[in-house]
Coordinates of all heavy atoms in Angstrom, one line a residue:
M1 N 13.9 -18.1 -2.2 CA 13.5 -18.6 -0.8 C 11.9 -18.4 -0.7 O 11.4 -17.4 -1.0 CB 14.2 -17.8 0.1 CG 13.8 -18.0 1.5 SD 14.9 -17.2 2.6 CE 14.8 -18.2 4.1
W2 N 11.4 -19.4 -0.3 CA 9.9 -19.4 0.0 C 9.6 -19.3 1.5 O 10.4 -19.8 2.4 CB 9.3 -20.8 -0.4 CG 9.5 -21.0 -1.9 CD1 10.5 -21.8 -2.5 CD2 8.7 -20.6 -2.9 NE1 10.3 -21.8 -3.8 CE2 9.3 -21.0 -4.2 CE3 7.7 -19.6 -3.0 CZ2 8.7 -20.6 -5.3 CZ3 7.2 -19.1 -4.2 CH2 7.7 -19.7 -5.5
R3 N 8.5 -18.5 1.8 CA 8.0 -18.5 3.1 C 7.1 -19.5 3.4 O 6.3 -20.0 2.6 CB 7.3 -17.2 3.2 CG 6.7 -16.9 4.7 CD 5.9 -15.6 4.7 NE 4.8 -15.4 3.9 CZ 3.6 -15.9 4.1 NH1 3.4 -16.6 5.2 NH2 2.6 -15.6 3.3
E4 N 7.3 -20.3 4.6 CA 6.3 -21.3 4.9 C 4.9 -20.8 5.2 O 4.7 -19.7 5.7 CB 6.8 -22.0 6.3 CG 8.1 -22.8 6.1 CD 8.0 -23.9 5.2 OE1 7.0 -24.6 5.2 OE2 9.0 -24.3 4.5
V5 N 4.0 -21.5 4.7 CA 2.5 -21.2 4.9 C 2.0 -22.1 5.8 O 2.0 -23.3 5.7 CB 1.8 -21.2 3.6 CG1 0.4 -21.0 3.7 CG2 2.4 -20.5 2.5
G6 N 1.4 -21.5 7.0 CA 1.0 -22.4 8.0 C -0.5 -22.9 7.8 O -1.1 -22.3 7.0
A7 N -0.9 -23.9 8.6 CA -2.3 -24.4 8.5 C -3.3 -23.4 8.8 O -4.4 -23.3 8.0 CB -2.4 -25.6 9.5
D8 N -3.1 -22.4 9.8 CA -4.0 -21.4 9.9 C -4.3 -20.4 8.8 O -5.3 -20.0 8.5 CB -3.5 -20.6 11.2 CG -3.8 -21.4 12.5 OD1 -4.4 -22.4 12.6 OD2 -3.1 -20.9 13.5
E9 N -3.2 -20.2 8.1 CA -3.1 -19.3 6.9 C -3.9 -20.0 5.8 O -4.7 -19.4 5.0 CB -1.8 -18.9 6.4 CG -1.8 -17.9 5.3 CD -0.3 -17.4 5.0 OE1 0.7 -17.9 5.7 OE2 -0.3 -16.5 4.1
I10 N -3.7 -21.3 5.6 CA -4.3 -22.1 4.6 C -5.9 -22.1 4.9 O -6.7 -21.9 4.0 CB -3.8 -23.5 4.4 CG1 -2.3 -23.4 4.0 CG2 -4.6 -24.4 3.7 CD1 -1.7 -24.7 4.1
A11 N -6.2 -22.4 6.1 CA -7.7 -22.4 6.5 C -8.3 -21.0 6.3 O -9.4 -20.9 5.8 CB -7.8 -22.9 8.0
G12 N -7.6 -19.9 6.6 CA -8.2 -18.6 6.5 C -8.4 -18.3 5.0 O -9.4 -17.7 4.7
L13 N -7.5 -18.7 4.2 CA -7.6 -18.3 2.8 C -8.8 -19.1 2.1 O -9.6 -18.6 1.4 CB -6.4 -18.8 2.1 CG -6.4 -18.5 0.4 CD1 -6.5 -17.0 0.2 CD2 -5.1 -19.0 -0.1
H14 N -8.8 -20.4 2.6 CA -10.0 -21.2 2.1 C -11.4 -20.6 2.5 O -12.2 -20.5 1.8 CB -9.9 -22.7 2.6 CG -11.0 -23.5 2.1 ND1 -12.1 -23.8 2.9 CD2 -11.2 -24.2 1.0 CE1 -12.9 -24.6 2.2 NE2 -12.4 -24.9 1.1
A15 N -11.5 -20.2 3.8 CA -12.7 -19.7 4.4 C -13.0 -18.4 3.7 O -14.2 -18.1 3.4 CB -12.6 -19.5 5.8
S16 N -12.0 -17.6 3.5 CA -12.3 -16.2 2.9 C -12.5 -16.1 1.3 O -13.1 -15.2 0.9 CB -11.4 -15.1 3.4 OG -10.1 -15.5 2.9
R17 N -11.9 -16.9 0.6 CA -11.8 -16.8 -0.7 C -12.3 -18.0 -1.6 O -12.6 -17.8 -2.8 CB -10.4 -16.6 -1.1 CG -9.5 -15.5 -0.6 CD -10.0 -14.2 -1.1 NE -9.3 -13.1 -0.4 CZ -8.8 -12.1 -1.1 NH1 -8.9 -12.0 -2.3 NH2 -8.2 -11.2 -0.4
V18 N -12.3 -19.1 -0.9 CA -12.7 -20.3 -1.8 C -14.1 -20.9 -1.3 O -14.9 -21.2 -2.3 CB -11.6 -21.5 -1.6 CG1 -12.0 -22.7 -2.4 CG2 -10.3 -20.9 -2.0
Q19 N -14.3 -21.1 -0.1 CA -15.4 -21.9 0.3 C -16.8 -21.4 -0.3 O -17.5 -22.2 -0.7 CB -15.5 -21.8 1.9 CG -16.6 -22.7 2.4 CD -16.4 -22.9 4.0 OE1 -15.8 -21.9 4.6 NE2 -16.9 -23.9 4.5
A20 N -17.0 -20.1 -0.3 CA -18.4 -19.6 -0.8 C -18.5 -19.8 -2.3 O -19.6 -20.0 -2.8 CB -18.5 -18.1 -0.4
R21 N -17.5 -19.7 -3.1 CA -17.4 -19.8 -4.5 C -17.5 -21.3 -5.0 O -18.0 -21.5 -6.0 CB -16.3 -19.1 -5.1 CG -16.2 -17.5 -4.9 CD -15.1 -16.9 -5.5 NE -15.1 -15.5 -5.3 CZ -14.6 -14.8 -4.4 NH1 -14.1 -15.4 -3.4 NH2 -14.6 -13.5 -4.3
F22 N -16.7 -22.2 -4.2 CA -16.6 -23.5 -4.6 C -16.8 -24.4 -3.4 O -15.9 -24.9 -2.8 CB -15.2 -23.7 -5.1 CG -14.8 -22.8 -6.3 CD1 -14.0 -21.7 -6.1 CD2 -15.2 -23.1 -7.7 CE1 -13.6 -20.9 -7.2 CE2 -15.0 -22.2 -8.7 CZ -14.1 -21.2 -8.4
P23 N -18.1 -24.5 -3.0 CA -18.2 -25.4 -1.9 C -17.9 -26.8 -1.9 O -17.7 -27.4 -0.8 CB -19.8 -25.2 -1.6 CG -20.3 -24.7 -2.9 CD -19.3 -24.0 -3.6
Q24 N -17.8 -27.3 -3.0 CA -17.3 -28.7 -3.2 C -15.9 -29.0 -3.0 O -15.4 -30.1 -2.8 CB -17.7 -29.2 -4.6 CG -16.9 -28.7 -5.7 CD -17.4 -27.3 -6.2 OE1 -18.1 -26.7 -5.5 NE2 -16.9 -26.9 -7.5
I25 N -15.1 -27.9 -2.8 CA -13.7 -28.0 -2.5 C -13.4 -27.9 -1.0 O -13.8 -27.0 -0.4 CB -12.8 -26.8 -3.3 CG1 -13.0 -27.0 -4.8 CG2 -11.5 -27.0 -2.9 CD1 -12.2 -25.9 -5.6
R26 N -12.8 -29.0 -0.6 CA -12.5 -29.0 0.8 C -11.3 -28.1 1.2 O -10.6 -27.7 0.4 CB -12.1 -30.5 1.3 CG -13.2 -31.5 1.0 CD -12.8 -32.9 1.4 NE -11.5 -33.2 0.7 CZ -11.0 -34.2 0.6 NH1 -11.4 -35.2 1.3 NH2 -9.8 -34.4 0.1
G27 N -11.1 -27.9 2.4 CA -10.0 -26.9 2.9 C -8.7 -27.5 3.0 O -7.8 -26.9 3.7
Q28 N -8.4 -28.6 2.4 CA -7.1 -29.3 2.5 C -6.2 -28.9 1.4 O -6.6 -29.0 0.3 CB -7.3 -30.8 2.4 CG -6.0 -31.6 2.5 CD -6.3 -33.1 2.4 OE1 -7.4 -33.6 2.1 NE2 -5.2 -33.9 2.4
A29 N -5.1 -28.4 1.7 CA -4.1 -27.9 0.7 C -3.0 -29.0 0.5 O -2.5 -29.6 1.5 CB -3.4 -26.7 1.1
L30 N -2.7 -29.4 -0.6 CA -1.7 -30.4 -0.9 C -0.4 -29.7 -0.9 O 0.6 -30.3 -0.4 CB -1.9 -31.0 -2.3 CG -3.2 -31.8 -2.4 CD1 -3.2 -32.4 -3.9 CD2 -3.3 -32.9 -1.5
K31 N -0.3 -28.4 -1.3 CA 0.9 -27.7 -1.3 C 0.6 -26.2 -1.3 O -0.3 -25.9 -1.8 CB 1.8 -28.1 -2.7 CG 3.2 -27.5 -2.8 CD 3.8 -28.1 -4.0 CE 5.2 -27.9 -3.9 NZ 5.9 -28.4 -5.2
A32 N 1.4 -25.4 -0.6 CA 1.2 -24.1 -0.5 C 2.5 -23.3 -0.5 O 3.5 -23.7 0.3 CB 0.5 -23.7 0.7
R33 N 2.7 -22.2 -1.3 CA 3.8 -21.5 -1.3 C 3.5 -20.0 -1.3 O 2.5 -19.6 -1.8 CB 4.7 -21.6 -2.7 CG 5.2 -23.1 -2.8 CD 6.7 -23.2 -2.1 NE 7.2 -24.4 -2.1 CZ 8.2 -24.9 -2.9 NH1 8.7 -24.2 -3.7 NH2 8.6 -26.1 -2.7
A34 N 4.2 -19.2 -0.6 CA 4.0 -17.8 -0.7 C 5.0 -17.0 -1.4 O 6.2 -17.2 -1.3 CB 4.1 -17.2 0.8
C35 N 4.5 -16.2 -2.3 CA 5.3 -15.3 -3.2 C 6.0 -14.2 -2.4 O 5.2 -13.6 -1.6 CB 4.5 -14.8 -4.4 SG 5.4 -13.8 -5.5
M36 N 7.1 -14.0 -2.5 CA 7.8 -12.9 -1.8 C 8.2 -11.7 -2.9 O 8.6 -12.0 -3.9 CB 9.2 -13.3 -1.1 CG 9.0 -14.5 -0.2 SD 8.0 -14.0 1.3 CE 9.1 -13.1 2.3
Y37 N 7.7 -10.6 -2.6 CA 8.0 -9.4 -3.4 C 8.0 -8.2 -2.4 O 7.6 -8.2 -1.3 CB 7.1 -9.3 -4.5 CG 5.5 -9.1 -4.1 CD1 5.0 -7.8 -3.9 CD2 4.8 -10.2 -4.0 CE1 3.7 -7.6 -3.5 CE2 3.4 -10.0 -3.6 CZ 3.0 -8.8 -3.4 OH 1.7 -8.7 -3.0
T38 N 8.7 -7.2 -3.0 CA 8.7 -5.9 -2.3 C 7.5 -5.1 -2.6 O 6.9 -5.2 -3.6 CB 9.9 -5.1 -2.7 OG1 9.9 -4.8 -4.1 CG2 11.2 -5.9 -2.3
V39 N 7.2 -4.3 -1.6 CA 5.9 -3.4 -1.7 C 6.1 -2.1 -0.9 O 6.8 -2.2 0.2 CB 4.6 -4.1 -1.4 CG1 4.6 -4.6 0.1 CG2 3.4 -3.4 -1.7
T40 N 5.7 -1.1 -1.4 CA 5.7 0.1 -0.7 C 4.7 0.1 0.5 O 3.8 -0.6 0.4 CB 5.4 1.5 -1.5 OG1 4.0 1.3 -2.0 CG2 6.3 1.5 -2.7
P41 N 4.9 0.9 1.6 CA 4.1 0.8 2.7 C 2.6 1.0 2.4 O 1.6 0.4 3.0 CB 4.6 1.8 3.7 CG 6.0 1.9 3.3 CD 6.1 1.7 1.8
D42 N 2.4 2.0 1.5 CA 1.0 2.2 1.0 C 0.5 1.4 -0.1 O -0.6 1.7 -0.6 CB 0.6 3.8 0.8 CG 1.6 4.2 -0.3 OD1 2.2 3.4 -1.0 OD2 1.6 5.5 -0.5
R43 N 1.2 0.5 -0.6 CA 1.0 -0.3 -1.8 C 0.8 0.4 -3.1 O 0.2 -0.2 -4.0 CB -0.2 -1.3 -1.5 CG 0.0 -2.1 -0.2 CD -1.1 -3.1 -0.2 NE -0.8 -4.0 0.9 CZ 0.1 -5.2 0.9 NH1 0.7 -5.5 -0.2 NH2 0.2 -6.0 1.9
D44 N 1.2 1.6 -3.2 CA 1.1 2.5 -4.5 C 2.4 2.1 -5.3 O 3.4 1.6 -4.8 CB 1.1 3.9 -4.1 CG -0.4 4.3 -3.9 OD1 -1.3 3.5 -4.1 OD2 -0.5 5.4 -3.2
F45 N 2.1 2.6 -6.6 CA 3.3 2.6 -7.5 C 4.3 3.7 -7.1 O 3.8 4.6 -6.4 CB 2.9 2.7 -8.9 CG 1.9 1.7 -9.4 CD1 1.1 2.1 -10.3 CD2 1.8 0.5 -8.8 CE1 0.1 1.2 -10.8 CE2 0.9 -0.4 -9.3 CZ 0.0 0.0 -10.2
V46 N 5.5 3.7 -7.6 CA 6.5 4.8 -7.3 C 7.1 5.1 -8.7 O 7.8 4.1 -9.3 CB 7.6 4.4 -6.4 CG1 8.6 5.5 -6.4 CG2 6.9 4.2 -4.9
V47 N 6.9 6.3 -9.2 CA 7.4 6.8 -10.4 C 7.9 8.2 -10.1 O 7.0 9.1 -10.0 CB 6.6 6.7 -11.7 CG1 7.2 7.3 -12.9 CG2 5.9 5.3 -12.0
D48 N 9.3 8.4 -10.1 CA 9.7 9.7 -9.8 C 11.2 9.8 -10.0 O 11.9 8.8 -10.4 CB 9.5 9.8 -8.2 CG 9.4 11.3 -7.7 OD1 9.7 12.1 -8.5 OD2 9.3 11.5 -6.6
Q49 N 11.8 11.0 -10.0 CA 13.2 11.3 -10.2 C 13.9 11.1 -8.9 O 13.3 11.2 -7.7 CB 13.3 12.7 -10.7 CG 12.8 12.9 -12.1 CD 12.9 14.4 -12.4 OE1 12.2 15.2 -12.0 NE2 13.8 14.7 -13.4
M50 N 15.1 10.7 -9.0 CA 16.0 10.5 -7.9 C 16.4 11.8 -7.3 O 16.7 12.7 -8.1 CB 17.3 9.6 -8.2 CG 18.1 9.4 -7.1 SD 17.6 8.2 -5.9 CE 18.1 6.7 -6.7
D51 N 16.4 12.0 -6.0 CA 16.9 13.2 -5.4 C 18.2 13.5 -5.7 O 19.1 12.6 -5.7 CB 16.7 13.1 -3.8 CG 15.4 13.0 -3.3 OD1 14.4 13.3 -4.0 OD2 15.1 12.4 -2.2
G52 N 18.5 14.7 -6.3 CA 19.9 15.1 -6.6 C 20.4 14.5 -7.8 O 21.6 14.8 -8.1
A53 N 19.6 13.8 -8.6 CA 20.1 13.4 -9.8 C 18.8 13.3 -10.8 O 18.1 12.3 -11.1 CB 20.6 11.9 -9.7
S54 N 18.5 14.5 -11.3 CA 17.3 14.6 -12.2 C 17.3 13.7 -13.4 O 16.3 13.5 -14.0 CB 17.2 16.1 -12.6 OG 18.2 16.5 -13.3
N55 N 18.5 13.2 -13.8 CA 18.5 12.3 -15.0 C 18.4 10.8 -14.6 O 18.4 9.9 -15.5 CB 19.9 12.4 -15.7 CG 21.0 12.1 -14.9 OD1 21.0 12.2 -13.7 ND2 22.0 11.8 -15.5
V56 N 18.1 10.6 -13.3 CA 17.8 9.2 -12.9 C 16.4 9.0 -12.4 O 15.9 9.8 -11.6 CB 18.8 8.8 -11.7 CG1 18.5 7.4 -11.2 CG2 20.2 8.9 -12.2
W57 N 15.7 8.1 -13.0 CA 14.3 7.9 -12.6 C 14.1 6.6 -11.9 O 14.8 5.6 -12.2 CB 13.4 7.9 -13.9 CG 13.1 9.3 -14.2 CD1 13.8 10.2 -15.0 CD2 11.9 10.0 -14.2 NE1 13.3 11.4 -15.1 CE2 12.0 11.2 -14.7 CE3 10.6 9.6 -13.7 CZ2 11.0 12.3 -14.7 CZ3 9.6 10.6 -13.6 CH2 9.7 11.8 -14.2
I58 N 13.1 6.5 -11.0 CA 12.8 5.3 -10.3 C 11.4 4.9 -10.8 O 10.4 5.8 -10.8 CB 12.6 5.6 -8.8 CG1 14.0 6.0 -8.3 CG2 12.1 4.3 -8.1 CD1 13.9 6.6 -6.9
A59 N 11.2 3.7 -11.2 CA 9.9 3.2 -11.6 C 9.7 1.8 -10.9 O 10.4 0.8 -11.3 CB 9.7 3.0 -13.1
S60 N 8.8 1.6 -10.0 CA 8.7 0.5 -9.2 C 8.1 -0.6 -10.0 O 7.5 -0.4 -11.1 CB 7.8 0.6 -8.0 OG 6.4 0.8 -8.4
A61 N 8.3 -1.9 -9.5 CA 7.7 -3.0 -10.1 C 6.2 -3.2 -9.9 O 5.5 -4.0 -10.3 CB 8.4 -4.2 -9.8
C62 N 5.7 -2.2 -9.3 CA 4.3 -2.1 -9.0 C 3.7 -3.1 -8.2 O 2.4 -3.6 -8.4 CB 3.5 -1.9 -10.3 SG 4.2 -0.6 -11.3
S63 N 4.5 -3.7 -7.3 CA 3.9 -4.6 -6.2 C 3.2 -5.8 -6.8 O 2.3 -6.3 -6.2 CB 3.1 -3.9 -5.3 OG 3.7 -2.8 -4.9
G64 N 3.5 -6.3 -7.9 CA 2.9 -7.6 -8.5 C 1.6 -7.4 -9.2 O 1.3 -8.2 -10.0
H65 N 1.0 -6.2 -9.0 CA -0.2 -6.1 -9.8 C -0.1 -5.0 -10.9 O -1.0 -4.7 -11.6 CB -1.4 -5.6 -8.9 CG -1.3 -4.3 -8.3 ND1 -0.4 -4.1 -7.2 CD2 -1.8 -3.1 -8.6 CE1 -0.5 -2.8 -6.8 NE2 -1.4 -2.2 -7.6
G66 N 1.1 -4.6 -11.2 CA 1.6 -3.5 -12.2 C 1.2 -4.0 -13.6 O 1.1 -3.1 -14.5
F67 N 1.2 -5.2 -13.8 CA 1.0 -5.8 -15.2 C -0.3 -5.1 -15.8 O -0.4 -4.9 -17.0 CB 1.0 -7.2 -15.3 CG -0.2 -7.9 -14.7 CD1 -1.3 -8.2 -15.5 CD2 -0.2 -8.2 -13.2 CE1 -2.4 -8.9 -14.9 CE2 -1.2 -8.8 -12.8 CZ -2.4 -9.1 -13.4
K68 N -1.3 -5.0 -15.0 CA -2.6 -4.4 -15.5 C -2.4 -2.9 -15.9 O -3.2 -2.5 -16.7 CB -3.6 -4.5 -14.5 CG -4.0 -5.9 -14.0 CD -5.1 -6.0 -13.0 CE -4.3 -5.7 -11.6 NZ -5.2 -5.9 -10.5
H69 N -1.4 -2.3 -15.3 CA -1.2 -0.8 -15.6 C 0.1 -0.5 -16.4 O 0.3 0.7 -16.7 CB -1.1 -0.1 -14.3 CG -2.3 -0.4 -13.4 ND1 -3.5 0.1 -13.5 CD2 -2.3 -1.2 -12.3 CE1 -4.4 -0.5 -12.6 NE2 -3.6 -1.3 -11.9
S70 N 0.9 -1.6 -16.8 CA 2.1 -1.4 -17.4 C 2.0 -0.6 -18.7 O 2.9 0.3 -19.0 CB 2.8 -2.7 -17.5 OG 2.0 -3.5 -18.4
A71 N 1.0 -0.8 -19.5 CA 1.0 -0.1 -20.8 C 0.9 1.4 -20.5 O 1.5 2.3 -21.2 CB -0.1 -0.6 -21.7
G72 N -0.1 1.9 -19.8 CA -0.3 3.2 -19.5 C 0.7 3.9 -18.8 O 1.2 5.0 -19.1
L73 N 1.3 3.2 -17.7 CA 2.6 3.8 -17.0 C 3.8 3.9 -17.9 O 4.4 4.9 -17.9 CB 2.8 2.9 -15.8 CG 2.0 3.1 -14.5 CD1 2.4 2.1 -13.5 CD2 2.2 4.6 -14.0
G74 N 3.8 2.8 -18.7 CA 5.1 2.9 -19.6 C 4.9 3.9 -20.6 O 5.9 4.7 -20.9
E75 N 3.7 4.3 -21.2 CA 3.6 5.4 -22.1 C 3.7 6.7 -21.4 O 4.5 7.6 -21.9 CB 2.2 5.3 -22.7 CG 1.9 6.5 -23.7 CD 0.5 6.3 -24.4 OE1 -0.1 5.3 -24.2 OE2 0.2 7.3 -25.1
A76 N 3.3 6.9 -20.2 CA 3.4 8.1 -19.6 C 4.8 8.4 -19.1 O 5.3 9.5 -19.3 CB 2.6 8.1 -18.3
I77 N 5.6 7.4 -18.8 CA 7.0 7.5 -18.4 C 7.7 7.8 -19.7 O 8.6 8.8 -19.6 CB 7.5 6.2 -17.7 CG1 6.8 6.1 -16.4 CG2 9.1 6.3 -17.6 CD1 7.1 4.6 -15.8
A78 N 7.5 7.1 -20.7 CA 8.3 7.4 -22.1 C 8.0 8.8 -22.4 O 8.9 9.5 -22.8 CB 7.8 6.4 -23.1
Q79 N 6.8 9.3 -22.4 CA 6.5 10.7 -22.8 C 7.2 11.8 -21.9 O 7.7 12.7 -22.5 CB 5.0 10.9 -22.8 CG 4.3 10.3 -23.9 CD 2.7 10.5 -23.7 OE1 2.2 11.0 -22.8 NE2 2.0 10.0 -24.7
R80 N 7.2 11.3 -20.7 CA 7.9 12.3 -19.7 C 9.4 12.3 -19.9 O 10.0 13.4 -19.9 CB 7.6 11.8 -18.3 CG 8.0 12.7 -17.2 CD 7.0 13.8 -17.1 NE 7.2 14.4 -15.7 CZ 7.7 15.6 -15.6 NH1 8.0 16.3 -16.6 NH2 8.0 16.0 -14.4
L81 N 9.9 11.2 -20.3 CA 11.5 11.1 -20.5 C 11.8 11.9 -21.7 O 12.9 12.3 -21.8 CB 11.9 9.7 -20.5 CG 11.9 9.0 -19.2 CD1 12.2 7.5 -19.3 CD2 12.8 9.7 -18.1
R82 N 10.9 11.9 -22.7 CA 11.1 12.6 -24.0 C 10.9 14.1 -23.8 O 11.0 14.9 -24.8 CB 10.2 12.1 -25.1 CG 10.7 10.6 -25.5 CD 10.0 10.2 -26.8 NE 8.6 10.5 -26.8 CZ 7.6 9.5 -26.8 NH1 7.9 8.3 -26.7 NH2 6.4 10.0 -26.8
G83 N 10.5 14.5 -22.6 CA 10.2 16.0 -22.4 C 8.8 16.3 -22.6 O 8.5 17.6 -22.7
G84 N 7.9 15.4 -23.0 CA 6.5 15.7 -23.2 C 5.6 15.1 -22.2 O 6.0 14.9 -21.1
G85 N 4.3 15.0 -22.6 CA 3.4 14.4 -21.8 C 2.9 15.4 -20.7 O 3.4 16.5 -20.6
R86 N 2.0 15.0 -20.0 CA 1.5 16.0 -18.9 C 2.0 15.5 -17.5 O 1.8 14.4 -17.1 CB -0.2 15.7 -18.9 CG -0.8 16.2 -20.2 CD -2.2 16.0 -20.3 NE -2.9 15.7 -19.1 CZ -3.8 14.7 -19.0 NH1 -4.1 14.0 -20.0 NH2 -4.5 14.4 -17.8
S87 N 2.7 16.3 -16.9 CA 3.4 16.1 -15.7 C 2.4 15.6 -14.5 O 2.7 14.8 -13.7 CB 4.2 17.2 -15.2 OG 3.4 18.3 -15.0
E88 N 1.1 16.1 -14.7 CA 0.1 15.7 -13.6 C -0.2 14.3 -13.6 O -0.8 13.7 -12.7 CB -1.1 16.6 -13.6 CG -1.9 16.5 -14.8 CD -1.5 17.3 -16.0 OE1 -0.5 17.9 -16.1 OE2 -2.4 17.3 -16.9
V89 N 0.0 13.6 -14.7 CA -0.4 12.2 -14.8 C 0.4 11.3 -13.9 O -0.2 10.2 -13.3 CB -0.2 11.7 -16.3 CG1 -0.3 10.1 -16.4 CG2 -1.1 12.4 -17.2
L90 N 1.7 11.6 -13.8 CA 2.5 10.8 -12.9 C 2.6 11.4 -11.4 O 3.2 10.7 -10.6 CB 4.0 10.6 -13.5 CG 4.1 9.9 -14.8 CD1 5.4 9.9 -15.3 CD2 3.6 8.5 -14.6
E91 N 2.1 12.5 -11.2 CA 2.1 13.2 -9.9 C 1.7 12.3 -8.8 O 2.3 12.2 -7.7 CB 1.3 14.5 -9.9 CG 1.5 15.3 -8.7 CD 2.9 15.8 -8.4 OE1 3.6 16.1 -9.4 OE2 3.2 16.0 -7.2
P92 N 0.6 11.5 -8.9 CA 0.1 10.7 -7.7 C 1.2 9.6 -7.5 O 1.1 9.0 -6.3 CB -1.1 10.1 -8.3 CG -1.7 10.8 -9.4 CD -0.4 11.4 -9.9
F93 N 2.1 9.3 -8.3 CA 3.0 8.2 -8.0 C 4.5 8.7 -7.5 O 5.5 8.0 -7.4 CB 3.4 7.3 -9.3 CG 2.0 7.0 -10.0 CD1 1.6 7.4 -11.1 CD2 1.2 6.1 -9.2 CE1 0.3 7.0 -11.7 CE2 0.1 5.6 -9.7 CZ -0.4 6.2 -11.0
R94 N 4.5 10.1 -7.1 CA 5.8 10.5 -6.6 C 6.1 9.9 -5.3 O 5.2 9.6 -4.5 CB 5.7 12.0 -6.4 CG 5.5 12.8 -7.8 CD 5.9 14.1 -7.8 NE 7.2 14.2 -7.3 CZ 8.0 15.5 -7.3 NH1 7.4 16.5 -7.7 NH2 9.1 15.5 -6.8
R95 N 7.4 9.8 -4.9 CA 7.8 9.2 -3.7 C 7.3 10.1 -2.5 O 7.3 11.4 -2.7 CB 9.3 9.1 -3.5 CG 9.7 7.9 -4.5 CD 11.3 7.8 -4.6 NE 11.8 9.0 -5.3 CZ 12.5 10.0 -4.6 NH1 12.8 9.9 -3.4 NH2 12.9 11.0 -5.2
R96 N 7.0 9.6 -1.4 CA 6.7 10.3 -0.2 C 7.9 10.3 0.7 O 7.9 11.0 1.9 CB 5.4 9.7 0.5 CG 4.3 9.9 -0.4 CD 3.1 9.0 0.0 NE 1.9 9.0 -0.8 CZ 1.8 8.6 -2.0 NH1 2.7 7.9 -2.6 NH2 0.7 8.7 -2.6
V97 N 8.9 9.5 0.4 CA 10.1 9.4 1.3 C 11.4 9.5 0.4 O 11.4 9.2 -0.7 CB 10.2 8.0 2.1 CG1 11.4 7.9 2.8 CG2 8.9 7.8 2.7
A98 N 12.4 10.3 0.8 CA 13.5 10.6 0.2 C 14.3 9.3 -0.1 O 14.4 8.5 0.7 CB 14.5 11.6 0.8
V99 N 14.9 9.1 -1.3 CA 15.7 8.1 -1.7 C 17.1 8.6 -2.2 O 17.1 9.5 -3.0 CB 15.1 7.1 -2.7 CG1 16.0 6.0 -3.1 CG2 13.8 6.6 -2.1
G100 N 18.2 8.0 -1.9 CA 19.4 8.4 -2.5 C 20.6 8.6 -1.7 O 20.8 8.6 -0.6

């Protein structure tokens, strides 16, 4: 399902992101679609154990920008699951709200 993108949003995107870099491009959009994805309220990644089930881990999809960090996060998660690695590496990604 796609969210409708209004003319005001298109104009705002053009003014804030396009116009200064590409002045030859007019603000007319032929087609616009908005990507829908889930994101945490603070836009951080979540990597943590499930409350009451220490053998279940949560690793978020990283809000669409995780591909840049996937190799490092994947390695840290794998090391942690194997019982190694440094626990403080994943500490910043612990959940701030209980799940389960």
Side-chain angles (χ1 to χ4, degrees):
M1 176 174 204
W2 298 102
R3 176 177 65 78
E4 291 294 322
V5 180
D8 289 346
E9 188 175 358
I10 292 168
L13 180 65
H14 180 267
S16 67
R17 305 287 178 134
V18 179
Q19 190 170 21
R21 292 177 179 93
F22 305 100
Q24 69 277 18
I25 296 178
R26 297 178 312 189
Q28 178 184 2
L30 300 178
K31 188 176 199 180
R33 296 267 173 112
C35 176
M36 301 296 284
Y37 59 90
T38 58
V39 64
T40 60
D42 61 7
R43 299 190 177 276
D44 275 344
F45 305 152
V46 175
V47 179
D48 202 357
Q49 291 174 289
M50 179 74 83
D51 295 335
S54 62
N55 62 334
V56 177
W57 278 74
I58 300 165
S60 74
C62 306
S63 309
H65 68 281
F67 68 94
K68 295 179 278 189
H69 309 283
S70 61
L73 280 173
E75 182 177 350
I77 293 166
Q79 288 176 353
R80 189 82 163 106
L81 291 175
R82 290 192 315 250
R86 298 178 10 227
S87 61
E88 70 272 11
V89 171
L90 295 175
E91 186 65 30
F93 308 114
R94 293 199 60 173
R95 290 174 293 112
R96 293 161 182 80
V97 178
V99 175

